[in-house]
Structure formats: C-alpha cells, structure tokens
Amino acid sequence: STVEIQSNPVVIKVDELLDVVVVSSDPGDVTTTNGATDAPLTFRITNNGNGPEYFTLTPNVVNGGDDFDPALSQVVLDTNNNGVYDPGVDTVYVAGSNDPLLTPDQSLTVFVLNNIPASQNNGDRANVTLAATATTGTGAPGTTFAGAGEGGGNAVVGSTSATGQAGGFLLVEAASIALVKSAVVADPFGGTNPVPGATVTYTLVATISGAGTLANVAITDPIPASTQYVASSMTLEGSPLTDASDADQGNFNGTRIAVALGNVAAGQTRTVTFKVTIQ
C-alpha cells in the first residue's frame, strides 16, 4: 500500500537585489554658448533591482578628456516626466533631502545644469558625469547587507555594484558679432563735399562669426546732430523699411533708427542703410 507523509516546510525569502543603471539621454554633444547659464545635460536612471530603493545622485564637472570644466549650477529631477527641463516646474535635487525613490524597473530623468565660462572658445567641450548610488549600500557584486532589504530580508549588491554612472558633453558654439559703419556723401553740386544740403548715406554691416546662432540681434543708430533723417530711407538687405513701428523690422522714433534682425546664424551678414541731410 502507499503511505503519504508530509515534510516540514522550507521557506526561502528572496533577498533584495541592489542594481542601478545610468545612461545619457542626449543623442550627442549638447551645444551651448560661452557665458550661458543652466545649460542642461540629461540623464536617465533606472532601478534594475527587485525592490524599491532610494538613490543618491552625484554630479561631477571635473573630468578628463575635455577642454574645460563648467561650473555646476544644480541637479534637477524631472517632476512632470516630460523629458524636458522646465524651470520653476521641475524639482531641484538636494542630496540626503529628496533622494529619488524608484520601484523595480522604474526610471527617472535627471538634469545636470551647468554654467559656461564667458572665456570659452568655439569648439571647446566639457565632460560632465552623473552617478546614482543605492543608499542601502554598495560594494563588490554579492556583498550582503543583513536585514537591510525589503521586508526585513537581506540586501545583496548586484552586478552594477549598486552604483551607475554616465557622462555627456557640452559643446561651445561661440558666435560673435562685429558691426562696421560707413558713410557716403553726395552734395547738391554732384560732388562729395559735406556741405549743408548734402545727403549722407550710412551703411551698417553686422557680421556674425564663430559658430551657432545669435538670438534677437538688433541695430540702433542715433541721427547725428545738425542732420535731418530722410523719411522712409531705411533699408535691410536692400529692401525698404517703413519708419512706423509696424509689421516690418524697422522704425524711426524721431531721434534714432532701429532695425530688428532676429536670429542670425554664424557666417551670415545683415546690411542696414539710411540717409540724412546736413542742415
């Protein structure tokens, strides 16, 4: 006959595995300009362990293999999880105060903000890293922290040593502007003498050099004393501009001309002209 007996139960509590991965979310070098503030590099932190874990974040702006070290501004957590740094919306990170808690397989985007020295040259690169470390502890794979795991079990360091690090590069694209002014005089007698009644045509040429783009470029120039502005004489790239503050890019307010050039890329020029008569 068959006799069935039952053994004592054997219970194995699964230990918490401490593993984290950090990667750069930027597709390549992130362009910035000399003197820029809060230039962001983007990183993604993922808890590859099997339990919830707090992680300490450590940025480093002093790394080898680059041209300069930016000044660390702050580290910011992507509060709204849209992958884009939103000033005033995303949460500023303070180590030991709001270390992010990630559940298993959960990821978080983190921004490292940097200030760029004004003296940097076009093409200079800065290497910035971000490390995430399990607050429970780190060590060689297999290191055990007794009773420190979820539910009172042990916590065991995984293959990443419970710390992850990634780096990204900032690339300075330094655009600069030069403005050159010239004048041509035409007198009433067909000559070039600057006598009363003569017309002076001023030409201002803005040249953008370096790399990148300058935003919101504008040219203003006061009307010289003892001259009178010739109405509707402003041009931009040879096209006439009106004197009124309207839809086009120029205006004259009675004492000076102003022309808004907008965003101008390096390697381009913009030419503005206007006329006055000598009184």
Side-chain angles (χ1 to χ4, degrees):
S1 62
T2 300
V3 178
E4 294 183 357
I5 61 174
Q6 186 172 351
S7 75
N8 59 294
V10 175
V11 178
I12 298 176
K13 179 178 287 188
V14 177
D15 291 337
E16 180 182 347
L17 188 67
L18 303 176
D19 255 334
V20 60
V21 173
V22 181
V23 298
S24 171
S25 297
D26 298 314
D29 289 2
V30 175
T31 58
T32 184
T33 59
N34 47 9
T37 59
D38 289 344
L41 286 170
T42 307
F43 299 89
R44 190 77 169 167
I45 300 170
T46 302
N47 179 5
N48 276 9
N50 62 347
E53 181 67 22
Y54 286 96
F55 293 95
T56 301
L57 308 180
T58 306
N60 184 15
V61 298
V62 182
N63 297 285
D66 60 3
D67 302 303
F68 73 99
D69 299 327
L72 177 68
S73 174
Q74 56 191 3
V75 177
V76 179
L77 308 178
D78 188 13
T79 305
N80 57 11
N81 200 33
N82 66 351
V84 178
Y85 170 52
D86 298 309
V89 176
D90 294 327
T91 303
V92 175
Y93 170 70
V94 179
S97 176
N98 60 343
D99 295 331
L101 173 64
L102 301 181
T103 57
D105 299 321
Q106 183 181 5
S107 296
L108 173 69
T109 296
V110 177
F111 308 103
V112 178
L113 307 184
N114 307 271
N115 297 332
I116 311 302
S119 60
Q120 292 312 133
N121 297 317
N122 181 57
D124 284 352
R125 300 172 78 229
N127 182 17
V128 177
T129 61
L130 178 69
T133 304
T135 58
T136 298
T138 63
T143 300
T144 300
F145 299 94
E150 183 182 13
N154 297 333
V156 180
V157 174
S159 60
T160 63
S161 300
T163 184
Q165 177 176 293
F169 279 87
L170 292 163
L171 172 64
V172 175
E173 289 191 345
S176 60
I177 185 170
L179 186 62
V180 176
K181 184 178 181 180
S182 60
V184 175
V185 179
D187 66 33
F189 317 111
T192 58
N193 296 306
V195 296
T199 298
V200 183
T201 300
Y202 289 107
T203 300
L204 299 107
V205 179
T207 301
I208 313 299
S209 58
T213 299
L214 287 183
N216 302 317
V217 180
I219 291 176
T220 61
D221 198 15
I223 303 304
S226 301
T227 69
Q228 182 175 351
Y229 172 71
V230 176
S232 302
S233 64
M234 270 187 300
T235 70
L236 172 60
E237 297 298 297
S239 298
L241 300 174
T242 62
D243 295 337
S245 297
D246 49 23
D248 69 22
Q249 296 163 275
N251 72 83
F252 172 64
N253 71 351
T255 61
R256 59 98 183 105
I257 62 100
V259 180
L261 306 181
N263 299 338
V264 185
Q268 297 184 1
T269 63
R270 295 291 187 270
T271 301
V272 172
T273 66
F274 68 95
K275 296 180 181 182
V276 300
T277 55
I278 300 174
Q279 301 298 293

